[in-house]
């Protein structure tokens, strides 16, 4: 499967984010817990540079908790604060402000030593499409969106969102998107819904998903589609044909593929992590 989708405007997006960084104390980098590395912009470290960062592994309810724990420790070993959250249900959200205060402890202590009163922490949320950025922001501000005062960002058409007394978020509608040339990353993003379905062949994506689950989560795929031991030995292509028949779709493989993909995305097949920590060790270059 070849996914050819290289969106432009990277330079413009990078410039906008860089300009906005001056207004915030730290950055919330939102990633999909099912693919913590593949859902990161490869230019993120270069863009954010030394600005304090909190990496939020979102959609943890859909991910393999064993893998999520490994990735959380990975980011922490790289010197980043990290939290595992589920913004849809609000799990882990209450940990964000305390973690921010922990990250900015030295800076805030210096400010207090100079006689400055503690101010609300100002943060910017960055994340690729479909990682839950809007849901997280709505959770944090409790949908009570309001400008919070005379801040530099407001004059540039940006909006500060008040999230309680301790946190203010800089609303940034422009979202950076990874320019990926690695087809494996493209498949992972596609399976989780980060890429529009009309940009690829659904049967190819379904076959990729069946192969992945058959390798890493065979019990889940067996239970979900009532596969026998013999059927588990079939190729992913033959399994897709079998699912099509089992669901009464006759020869409509596209319909069966779409159904399978949606069930994977919804967590109906089981919790899964596409970025396998042990398998990606050799790719770590940062």
């Amino acid at each position: 499967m070849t996914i050819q989708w290289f969106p432009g405007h990277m330079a413009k997006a990078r410039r906008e984010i860089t300009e906005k960084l001056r207004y915030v104390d730290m950055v919330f980098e939102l990633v999909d817990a099912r693919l913590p590395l593949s859902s990161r912009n490869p230019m993120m470290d270069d863009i954010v540079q030394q600005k304090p960062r909190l990496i939020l592994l979102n959609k943890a309810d859909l991910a393999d908790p064993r893998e999520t724990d490994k990735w959380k420790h990975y980011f922490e070993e790289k010197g980043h604060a990290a939290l595992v959250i589920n913004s849809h249900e609000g799990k882990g959200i209450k940990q964000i402000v305390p973690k921010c205060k922990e990250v900015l402890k030295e800076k805030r202590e210096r400010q207090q030593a100079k006689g400055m009163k503690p101010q609300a922490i100002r943060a910017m949320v960055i994340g690729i499409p479909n990682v839950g950025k809007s849901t997280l922001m709505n959770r944090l501000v409790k949908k009570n969106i309001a400008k919070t005062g005379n801040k530099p960002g407001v004059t540039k058409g940006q909006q500060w969102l008040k999230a309680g007394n301790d946190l203010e978020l800089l609303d940034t509608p422009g979202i950076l998107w990874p320019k990926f040339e690695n087809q494996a990353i493209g498949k992972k993003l596609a399976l989780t819904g980060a890429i529009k379905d009309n940009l690829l062949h659904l049967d190819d994506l379904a076959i990729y998903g069946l192969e992945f689950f058959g390798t890493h989560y065979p019990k889940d795929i067996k239970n979900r589609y009532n596969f026998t031991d013999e059927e588990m030995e079939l190729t992913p292509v033959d399994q897709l044909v079998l699912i099509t028949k089992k669901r009464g779709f006759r020869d409509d493989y596209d319909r069966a593929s779409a159904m399978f993909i949606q069930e994977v995305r919804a967590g109906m097949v089981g919790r899964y992590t596409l970025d396998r920590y042990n398998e990606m060790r050799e790719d770590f270059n940062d």
Side-chain angles (χ1 to χ4, degrees):
M1 176 174 63
T2 300
I3 302 175
Q4 296 182 344
W5 193 62
F6 304 97
H9 310 296
M10 288 294 294
K12 179 180 179 181
R14 176 173 178 170
R15 184 175 64 253
E16 290 178 351
I17 293 297
T18 301
E19 291 175 352
K20 295 168 185 173
L21 282 174
R22 73 184 73 174
Y23 303 129
V24 301
D25 299 306
M26 61 187 300
V27 170
F28 292 169
E29 183 182 352
L30 201 60
V31 301
D32 190 323
R34 296 170 296 179
L35 52 166
L37 281 194
S38 297
S39 60
R40 297 184 74 206
N41 189 295
M43 300 167 61
M44 186 59 64
D45 290 336
D46 185 44
I47 295 173
V48 177
Q49 296 186 13
Q50 300 304 313
K51 182 70 69 171
R53 197 182 329 174
L54 172 60
I55 296 181
L56 301 170
L57 291 89
N58 195 28
K59 301 190 178 183
D61 58 311
L62 298 174
D64 182 336
R66 295 165 297 184
E67 289 292 313
T68 300
D69 186 59
K70 294 176 184 178
W71 285 115
K72 179 177 181 292
H73 287 301
Y74 164 77
F75 289 124
E76 291 173 339
E77 289 175 355
K78 292 296 180 180
H80 303 305
L83 287 175
V84 175
I85 67 171
N86 171 8
S87 59
H88 181 69
E89 298 179 355
K91 294 182 179 179
I93 301 299
K94 292 182 179 180
Q95 301 177 46
I96 292 179
V97 170
K99 180 62 71 171
C100 290
K101 291 181 178 180
E102 179 183 318
V103 172
L104 298 172
K105 181 180 179 181
E106 293 184 4
K107 177 181 178 179
R108 291 166 70 85
E109 288 179 344
R110 289 196 301 270
Q111 292 175 335
Q112 290 180 341
K114 295 179 181 178
M116 301 172 61
K117 295 181 179 180
Q119 301 292 320
I121 295 170
R122 294 171 293 178
M124 175 170 56
V125 183
I126 296 178
I128 69 170
N130 204 45
V131 292
K133 175 174 173 283
S134 296
T135 303
L136 172 64
M137 296 183 75
N138 284 337
R139 278 285 179 182
L140 289 171
V141 303
K142 297 180 180 178
K143 297 188 179 181
N144 184 23
I145 299 175
K147 292 184 179 180
T148 61
N150 185 21
K151 296 288 193 300
V154 176
T155 61
K156 289 181 174 292
Q158 300 160 8
Q159 184 177 8
W160 289 91
L161 309 179
K162 189 173 179 62
N165 297 321
D166 298 314
L167 181 64
E168 295 175 6
L169 301 174
L170 181 57
D171 186 15
T172 56
I175 301 175
L176 287 175
W177 181 258
K179 177 177 182 292
F180 58 89
E181 298 177 355
N182 185 320
Q183 294 300 311
I185 293 178
K187 292 176 183 178
K188 292 175 182 179
L189 290 168
L191 190 60
T192 57
I195 299 176
K196 293 181 179 179
D197 290 338
N198 60 6
L199 293 174
L200 44 94
H201 297 293
L202 294 183
D203 55 346
D204 287 339
L205 186 56
I207 290 169
Y208 164 73
L210 284 166
E211 182 177 12
F212 173 82
F213 271 89
T215 300
H216 298 285
Y217 304 100
K219 290 183 179 179
D220 290 339
I221 205 76
K222 181 179 181 180
N223 293 336
R224 180 63 188 173
Y225 300 105
N226 297 315
F227 285 159
T228 64
D229 291 338
E230 291 74 16
E231 291 170 341
M232 285 295 296
E233 298 299 323
L234 295 174
T235 66
V237 174
D238 289 334
Q239 287 180 339
L240 178 58
V241 172
L242 187 60
I243 290 174
T244 304
K245 294 179 179 179
K246 283 176 176 284
R247 292 301 174 94
F249 297 157
R250 296 187 179 182
D251 296 329
D252 194 344
Y253 305 117
D254 284 342
R255 183 181 177 188
S257 297
M259 177 213 66
F260 171 74
I261 292 168
Q262 291 303 319
E263 290 188 353
V264 168
R265 291 174 181 171
M268 297 170 68
V269 180
R271 298 175 68 167
Y272 62 99
T273 297
L274 296 168
D275 281 351
R276 312 298 296 178
Y277 180 79
N278 291 335
E279 294 176 3
M280 298 183 73
R281 282 175 179 269
E282 60 188 40
D283 297 328
F284 297 159
N285 54 15
D286 57 335

